[in-house]
Amino acid sequence: MRISIFPILATFLVLAAGCGRDSMSEIGFSLPEGDPVAGREAFLYMQCNQCHTVYGEDLPPVPLADPPYVQLGGPVTTIKTYGQIVTGIINPSHELAEGYAEDVVSEDGESNMYIYNRYMTVQELIDIVMFLQPHYDVVVPNTIYRTYP
Ligand code: HEC
């Protein structure tokens, strides 16, 4: 009897792919409590307001800044989680902010945002996320229900 190696190989590949994805999963991610007031301060001294406005906050403009400003916070249709905000800061090109033309906020798929990973402490990151997250308002999109006779 000839045993085909193909199903065995295919099973192995599927398992290997599954394992690979699991070890890169964001499951298990959880931020400790942070201080939103310290987060606001960090946001200002790192001059995030050079390129960002924050919905509901009156932040001083940075002299000589040349925006287009990208708004952080405001109405969103799905909740902005801590994980999404952390990713927006430490891996900005992963998913570009919605609602902006790509050539305004990025170049060749790379976000125009500075990478702060070598300069920002983990505590500053946590505090900034705690400051930003409550500024997102989840709005439920209007659903039009049709009634059928
Ligand atoms: C030089 C301009 C610039 C500076 C300075 C800057 N950003 Fe950004 N940021 C951007 C641009 C452009 C985007 C939109 C493209 C993208 O999603 O990466 C963005 C996106 C983001 C997002 C994701 C928004 C979304 O809706 O997905 C977050 C969160 C963010 N920035 C936080 C920060 C924080 C915190 C700082 C300061 C530590 C900062 N940014 C500094 C330009 C900047």
Side-chain angles (χ1 to χ4, degrees), residues 30-64:
S30 166
L31 281 185
E33 271 300 304
D35 176 356
V37 175
R40 189 182 192 277
E41 277 164 25
F43 193 90
L44 291 178
Y45 69 66
M46 291 195 177
Q47 304 204 324
C48 309
N49 52 331
Q50 184 185 325
C51 305
H52 291 291
T53 57
V54 178
Y55 185 76
E57 289 276 338
D58 197 9
L59 301 176
V62 173
L64 302 178

mmCIF file of all heavy atoms in Angstrom, residues 30-64:
data_model
loop_
_atom_site.group_PDB
_atom_site.id
_atom_site.type_symbol
_atom_site.label_atom_id
_atom_site.label_comp_id
_atom_site.label_asym_id
_atom_site.label_seq_id
_atom_site.Cartn_x
_atom_site.Cartn_y
_atom_site.Cartn_z
ATOM 1 N N SER A 30 -2.829 43.048 28.931
ATOM 2 C CA SER A 30 -3.601 43.817 29.904
ATOM 3 C C SER A 30 -2.719 44.915 30.483
ATOM 4 O O SER A 30 -1.581 44.652 30.866
ATOM 5 C CB SER A 30 -4.078 42.874 31.012
ATOM 6 O OG SER A 30 -4.539 43.623 32.101
ATOM 7 N N LEU A 31 -3.238 46.120 30.527
ATOM 8 C CA LEU A 31 -2.449 47.237 31.053
ATOM 9 C C LEU A 31 -2.757 47.432 32.532
ATOM 10 O O LEU A 31 -3.910 47.334 32.933
ATOM 11 C CB LEU A 31 -2.828 48.535 30.337
ATOM 12 C CG LEU A 31 -2.269 48.804 28.960
ATOM 13 C CD1 LEU A 31 -2.677 50.198 28.522
ATOM 14 C CD2 LEU A 31 -0.755 48.696 28.959
ATOM 15 N N PRO A 32 -1.746 47.764 33.331
ATOM 16 C CA PRO A 32 -2.040 48.124 34.720
ATOM 17 C C PRO A 32 -2.689 49.503 34.774
ATOM 18 O O PRO A 32 -2.711 50.215 33.770
ATOM 19 C CB PRO A 32 -0.663 48.139 35.370
ATOM 20 C CG PRO A 32 0.290 48.402 34.256
ATOM 21 C CD PRO A 32 -0.328 47.844 33.009
ATOM 22 N N GLU A 33 -3.211 49.880 35.925
ATOM 23 C CA GLU A 33 -3.804 51.210 36.099
ATOM 24 C C GLU A 33 -2.765 52.288 35.773
ATOM 25 O O GLU A 33 -1.591 52.142 36.113
ATOM 26 C CB GLU A 33 -4.215 51.391 37.562
ATOM 27 C CG GLU A 33 -5.614 50.916 37.880
ATOM 28 C CD GLU A 33 -6.673 51.650 37.074
ATOM 29 O OE1 GLU A 33 -6.711 52.894 37.132
ATOM 30 O OE2 GLU A 33 -7.453 50.964 36.396
ATOM 31 N N GLY A 34 -3.201 53.349 35.139
ATOM 32 C CA GLY A 34 -2.282 54.456 34.881
ATOM 33 C C GLY A 34 -2.881 55.744 35.411
ATOM 34 O O GLY A 34 -3.973 55.739 35.988
ATOM 35 N N ASP A 35 -2.161 56.832 35.195
ATOM 36 C CA ASP A 35 -2.594 58.125 35.712
ATOM 37 C C ASP A 35 -2.881 59.056 34.526
ATOM 38 O O ASP A 35 -1.956 59.528 33.875
ATOM 39 C CB ASP A 35 -1.466 58.683 36.602
ATOM 40 C CG ASP A 35 -1.786 60.076 37.122
ATOM 41 O OD1 ASP A 35 -2.832 60.657 36.744
ATOM 42 O OD2 ASP A 35 -0.975 60.586 37.914
ATOM 43 N N PRO A 36 -4.167 59.317 34.256
ATOM 44 C CA PRO A 36 -4.505 60.128 33.087
ATOM 45 C C PRO A 36 -3.966 61.558 33.162
ATOM 46 O O PRO A 36 -3.681 62.160 32.122
ATOM 47 C CB PRO A 36 -6.042 60.130 33.060
ATOM 48 C CG PRO A 36 -6.502 59.477 34.301
ATOM 49 C CD PRO A 36 -5.348 58.797 34.960
ATOM 50 N N VAL A 37 -3.794 62.085 34.398
ATOM 51 C CA VAL A 37 -3.286 63.463 34.523
ATOM 52 C C VAL A 37 -1.809 63.489 34.098
ATOM 53 O O VAL A 37 -1.375 64.350 33.313
ATOM 54 C CB VAL A 37 -3.472 63.992 35.969
ATOM 55 C CG1 VAL A 37 -2.847 65.368 36.123
ATOM 56 C CG2 VAL A 37 -4.952 64.014 36.331
ATOM 57 N N ALA A 38 -1.047 62.481 34.570
ATOM 58 C CA ALA A 38 0.352 62.364 34.136
ATOM 59 C C ALA A 38 0.407 62.086 32.636
ATOM 60 O O ALA A 38 1.322 62.540 31.947
ATOM 61 C CB ALA A 38 1.041 61.246 34.916
ATOM 62 N N GLY A 39 -0.579 61.370 32.126
ATOM 63 C CA GLY A 39 -0.630 61.066 30.695
ATOM 64 C C GLY A 39 -0.809 62.321 29.866
ATOM 65 O O GLY A 39 -0.180 62.487 28.812
ATOM 66 N N ARG A 40 -1.647 63.215 30.354
ATOM 67 C CA ARG A 40 -1.857 64.487 29.637
ATOM 68 C C ARG A 40 -0.555 65.283 29.609
ATOM 69 O O ARG A 40 -0.178 65.859 28.587
ATOM 70 C CB ARG A 40 -2.967 65.282 30.329
ATOM 71 C CG ARG A 40 -3.428 66.507 29.576
ATOM 72 C CD ARG A 40 -4.502 67.232 30.383
ATOM 73 N NE ARG A 40 -5.186 68.250 29.604
ATOM 74 C CZ ARG A 40 -4.741 69.475 29.417
ATOM 75 N NH1 ARG A 40 -3.588 69.851 29.934
ATOM 76 N NH2 ARG A 40 -5.437 70.343 28.689
ATOM 77 N N GLU A 41 0.138 65.305 30.778
ATOM 78 C CA GLU A 41 1.423 66.026 30.838
ATOM 79 C C GLU A 41 2.429 65.416 29.864
ATOM 80 O O GLU A 41 3.107 66.130 29.123
ATOM 81 C CB GLU A 41 2.016 65.967 32.250
ATOM 82 C CG GLU A 41 1.441 67.007 33.174
ATOM 83 C CD GLU A 41 1.736 66.711 34.640
ATOM 84 O OE1 GLU A 41 2.731 66.010 34.933
ATOM 85 O OE2 GLU A 41 0.941 67.181 35.483
ATOM 86 N N ALA A 42 2.514 64.086 29.868
ATOM 87 C CA ALA A 42 3.467 63.411 28.971
ATOM 88 C C ALA A 42 3.112 63.717 27.517
ATOM 89 O O ALA A 42 3.990 63.951 26.681
ATOM 90 C CB ALA A 42 3.446 61.905 29.223
ATOM 91 N N PHE A 43 1.826 63.732 27.209
ATOM 92 C CA PHE A 43 1.357 64.022 25.851
ATOM 93 C C PHE A 43 1.867 65.391 25.408
ATOM 94 O O PHE A 43 2.315 65.569 24.272
ATOM 95 C CB PHE A 43 -0.181 63.996 25.848
ATOM 96 C CG PHE A 43 -0.794 63.973 24.477
ATOM 97 C CD1 PHE A 43 -1.054 62.767 23.843
ATOM 98 C CD2 PHE A 43 -1.132 65.154 23.818
ATOM 99 C CE1 PHE A 43 -1.630 62.733 22.572
ATOM 100 C CE2 PHE A 43 -1.701 65.127 22.558
ATOM 101 C CZ PHE A 43 -1.951 63.917 21.933
ATOM 102 N N LEU A 44 1.834 66.350 26.374
ATOM 103 C CA LEU A 44 2.270 67.711 26.024
ATOM 104 C C LEU A 44 3.790 67.821 25.956
ATOM 105 O O LEU A 44 4.324 68.402 25.022
ATOM 106 C CB LEU A 44 1.706 68.725 27.027
ATOM 107 C CG LEU A 44 0.190 68.926 26.946
ATOM 108 C CD1 LEU A 44 -0.284 69.902 28.015
ATOM 109 C CD2 LEU A 44 -0.232 69.420 25.561
ATOM 110 N N TYR A 45 4.515 67.222 26.932
ATOM 111 C CA TYR A 45 5.975 67.420 26.843
ATOM 112 C C TYR A 45 6.608 66.600 25.737
ATOM 113 O O TYR A 45 7.686 66.921 25.272
ATOM 114 C CB TYR A 45 6.691 67.331 28.198
ATOM 115 C CG TYR A 45 6.783 66.006 28.902
ATOM 116 C CD1 TYR A 45 7.517 64.950 28.391
ATOM 117 C CD2 TYR A 45 6.154 65.835 30.141
ATOM 118 C CE1 TYR A 45 7.602 63.739 29.065
ATOM 119 C CE2 TYR A 45 6.230 64.624 30.808
ATOM 120 C CZ TYR A 45 6.960 63.579 30.267
ATOM 121 O OH TYR A 45 7.042 62.384 30.927
ATOM 122 N N MET A 46 5.912 65.564 25.268
ATOM 123 C CA MET A 46 6.431 64.846 24.092
ATOM 124 C C MET A 46 5.937 65.477 22.796
ATOM 125 O O MET A 46 6.204 64.975 21.714
ATOM 126 C CB MET A 46 5.982 63.398 24.141
ATOM 127 C CG MET A 46 6.670 62.686 25.247
ATOM 128 S SD MET A 46 6.511 60.942 25.099
ATOM 129 C CE MET A 46 7.484 60.492 26.485
ATOM 130 N N GLN A 47 5.162 66.541 22.963
ATOM 131 C CA GLN A 47 4.666 67.314 21.818
ATOM 132 C C GLN A 47 3.857 66.482 20.831
ATOM 133 O O GLN A 47 3.959 66.660 19.616
ATOM 134 C CB GLN A 47 5.819 68.026 21.116
ATOM 135 C CG GLN A 47 6.588 68.915 22.082
ATOM 136 C CD GLN A 47 7.320 70.038 21.408
ATOM 137 O OE1 GLN A 47 7.840 69.881 20.304
ATOM 138 N NE2 GLN A 47 7.372 71.187 22.045
ATOM 139 N N CYS A 48 3.048 65.587 21.372
ATOM 140 C CA CYS A 48 2.135 64.831 20.509
ATOM 141 C C CYS A 48 1.144 65.805 19.862
ATOM 142 O O CYS A 48 0.629 65.536 18.772
ATOM 143 C CB CYS A 48 1.362 63.800 21.312
ATOM 144 S SG CYS A 48 2.390 62.749 22.348
ATOM 145 N N ASN A 49 0.915 66.928 20.541
ATOM 146 C CA ASN A 49 -0.031 67.922 20.013
ATOM 147 C C ASN A 49 0.530 68.691 18.814
ATOM 148 O O ASN A 49 -0.152 69.525 18.234
ATOM 149 C CB ASN A 49 -0.476 68.902 21.118
ATOM 150 C CG ASN A 49 0.675 69.531 21.857
ATOM 151 O OD1 ASN A 49 1.741 68.939 21.972
ATOM 152 N ND2 ASN A 49 0.479 70.732 22.371
ATOM 153 N N GLN A 50 1.777 68.353 18.444
ATOM 154 C CA GLN A 50 2.319 68.912 17.193
ATOM 155 C C GLN A 50 1.480 68.411 16.009
ATOM 156 O O GLN A 50 1.313 69.118 15.018
ATOM 157 C CB GLN A 50 3.770 68.449 17.051
ATOM 158 C CG GLN A 50 4.500 69.014 15.870
ATOM 159 C CD GLN A 50 5.898 68.390 15.747
ATOM 160 O OE1 GLN A 50 6.534 68.087 16.757
ATOM 161 N NE2 GLN A 50 6.345 68.187 14.547
ATOM 162 N N CYS A 51 0.973 67.205 16.103
ATOM 163 C CA CYS A 51 0.216 66.614 14.996
ATOM 164 C C CYS A 51 -1.193 66.190 15.414
ATOM 165 O O CYS A 51 -1.946 65.710 14.569
ATOM 166 C CB CYS A 51 0.924 65.375 14.457
ATOM 167 S SG CYS A 51 2.625 65.660 13.963
ATOM 168 N N HIS A 52 -1.506 66.282 16.703
ATOM 169 C CA HIS A 52 -2.804 65.759 17.149
ATOM 170 C C HIS A 52 -3.622 66.781 17.913
ATOM 171 O O HIS A 52 -3.072 67.548 18.705
ATOM 172 C CB HIS A 52 -2.611 64.560 18.085
ATOM 173 C CG HIS A 52 -2.077 63.353 17.394
ATOM 174 N ND1 HIS A 52 -2.821 62.648 16.483
ATOM 175 C CD2 HIS A 52 -0.883 62.718 17.486
ATOM 176 C CE1 HIS A 52 -2.084 61.622 16.036
ATOM 177 N NE2 HIS A 52 -0.907 61.657 16.618
ATOM 178 N N THR A 53 -4.921 66.730 17.696
ATOM 179 C CA THR A 53 -5.868 67.353 18.614
ATOM 180 C C THR A 53 -6.489 66.203 19.402
ATOM 181 O O THR A 53 -6.458 65.063 18.954
ATOM 182 C CB THR A 53 -6.975 68.113 17.853
ATOM 183 O OG1 THR A 53 -7.620 67.182 16.962
ATOM 184 C CG2 THR A 53 -6.433 69.267 17.052
ATOM 185 N N VAL A 54 -6.995 66.505 20.575
ATOM 186 C CA VAL A 54 -7.683 65.473 21.357
ATOM 187 C C VAL A 54 -9.096 65.969 21.597
ATOM 188 O O VAL A 54 -9.292 67.058 22.148
ATOM 189 C CB VAL A 54 -6.953 65.192 22.698
ATOM 190 C CG1 VAL A 54 -7.722 64.142 23.502
ATOM 191 C CG2 VAL A 54 -5.529 64.726 22.447
ATOM 192 N N TYR A 55 -10.050 65.182 21.164
ATOM 193 C CA TYR A 55 -11.467 65.550 21.237
ATOM 194 C C TYR A 55 -11.844 65.923 22.675
ATOM 195 O O TYR A 55 -11.595 65.157 23.609
ATOM 196 C CB TYR A 55 -12.287 64.346 20.760
ATOM 197 C CG TYR A 55 -13.761 64.588 20.648
ATOM 198 C CD1 TYR A 55 -14.284 65.307 19.582
ATOM 199 C CD2 TYR A 55 -14.631 64.060 21.596
ATOM 200 C CE1 TYR A 55 -15.637 65.507 19.468
ATOM 201 C CE2 TYR A 55 -15.998 64.257 21.479
ATOM 202 C CZ TYR A 55 -16.492 64.983 20.408
ATOM 203 O OH TYR A 55 -17.848 65.171 20.294
ATOM 204 N N GLY A 56 -12.409 67.108 22.851
ATOM 205 C CA GLY A 56 -12.854 67.543 24.169
ATOM 206 C C GLY A 56 -11.757 68.183 25.009
ATOM 207 O O GLY A 56 -11.993 68.571 26.142
ATOM 208 N N GLU A 57 -10.530 68.302 24.484
ATOM 209 C CA GLU A 57 -9.428 68.907 25.236
ATOM 210 C C GLU A 57 -8.970 70.152 24.490
ATOM 211 O O GLU A 57 -8.864 70.142 23.264
ATOM 212 C CB GLU A 57 -8.226 67.957 25.306
ATOM 213 C CG GLU A 57 -8.413 66.765 26.190
ATOM 214 C CD GLU A 57 -8.115 67.056 27.660
ATOM 215 O OE1 GLU A 57 -7.376 68.025 27.970
ATOM 216 O OE2 GLU A 57 -8.644 66.308 28.498
ATOM 217 N N ASP A 58 -8.668 71.204 25.282
ATOM 218 C CA ASP A 58 -8.163 72.422 24.671
ATOM 219 C C ASP A 58 -6.648 72.449 24.885
ATOM 220 O O ASP A 58 -6.174 72.904 25.912
ATOM 221 C CB ASP A 58 -8.839 73.620 25.356
ATOM 222 C CG ASP A 58 -8.704 74.868 24.525
ATOM 223 O OD1 ASP A 58 -8.256 74.763 23.361
ATOM 224 O OD2 ASP A 58 -9.034 75.947 25.060
ATOM 225 N N LEU A 59 -5.895 71.912 23.938
ATOM 226 C CA LEU A 59 -4.448 71.804 24.114
ATOM 227 C C LEU A 59 -3.748 72.963 23.411
ATOM 228 O O LEU A 59 -4.178 73.390 22.343
ATOM 229 C CB LEU A 59 -3.942 70.476 23.538
ATOM 230 C CG LEU A 59 -4.550 69.206 24.145
ATOM 231 C CD1 LEU A 59 -4.043 67.971 23.418
ATOM 232 C CD2 LEU A 59 -4.243 69.106 25.632
ATOM 233 N N PRO A 60 -2.663 73.477 24.022
ATOM 234 C CA PRO A 60 -1.964 74.593 23.383
ATOM 235 C C PRO A 60 -1.320 74.146 22.074
ATOM 236 O O PRO A 60 -0.846 73.009 21.981
ATOM 237 C CB PRO A 60 -0.883 74.952 24.407
ATOM 238 C CG PRO A 60 -0.715 73.740 25.250
ATOM 239 C CD PRO A 60 -2.025 73.011 25.248
ATOM 240 N N PRO A 61 -1.292 74.996 21.071
ATOM 241 C CA PRO A 61 -0.638 74.598 19.828
ATOM 242 C C PRO A 61 0.883 74.608 20.005
ATOM 243 O O PRO A 61 1.403 75.327 20.849
ATOM 244 C CB PRO A 61 -1.065 75.677 18.832
ATOM 245 C CG PRO A 61 -1.465 76.850 19.661
ATOM 246 C CD PRO A 61 -1.844 76.351 21.022
ATOM 247 N N VAL A 62 1.581 73.792 19.235
ATOM 248 C CA VAL A 62 3.050 73.775 19.284
ATOM 249 C C VAL A 62 3.551 74.788 18.254
ATOM 250 O O VAL A 62 3.140 74.731 17.090
ATOM 251 C CB VAL A 62 3.580 72.365 18.941
ATOM 252 C CG1 VAL A 62 5.095 72.351 18.821
ATOM 253 C CG2 VAL A 62 3.124 71.361 19.992
ATOM 254 N N PRO A 63 4.408 75.742 18.676
ATOM 255 C CA PRO A 63 4.894 76.734 17.712
ATOM 256 C C PRO A 63 5.575 76.057 16.521
ATOM 257 O O PRO A 63 6.247 75.046 16.694
ATOM 258 C CB PRO A 63 5.918 77.547 18.516
ATOM 259 C CG PRO A 63 5.671 77.231 19.949
ATOM 260 C CD PRO A 63 4.993 75.905 20.009
ATOM 261 N N LEU A 64 5.359 76.601 15.365
ATOM 262 C CA LEU A 64 5.955 76.132 14.104
ATOM 263 C C LEU A 64 5.478 74.745 13.665
ATOM 264 O O LEU A 64 6.051 74.146 12.760
ATOM 265 C CB LEU A 64 7.492 76.137 14.159
ATOM 266 C CG LEU A 64 8.152 77.477 14.469
ATOM 267 C CD1 LEU A 64 9.668 77.328 14.551
ATOM 268 C CD2 LEU A 64 7.797 78.526 13.403
#
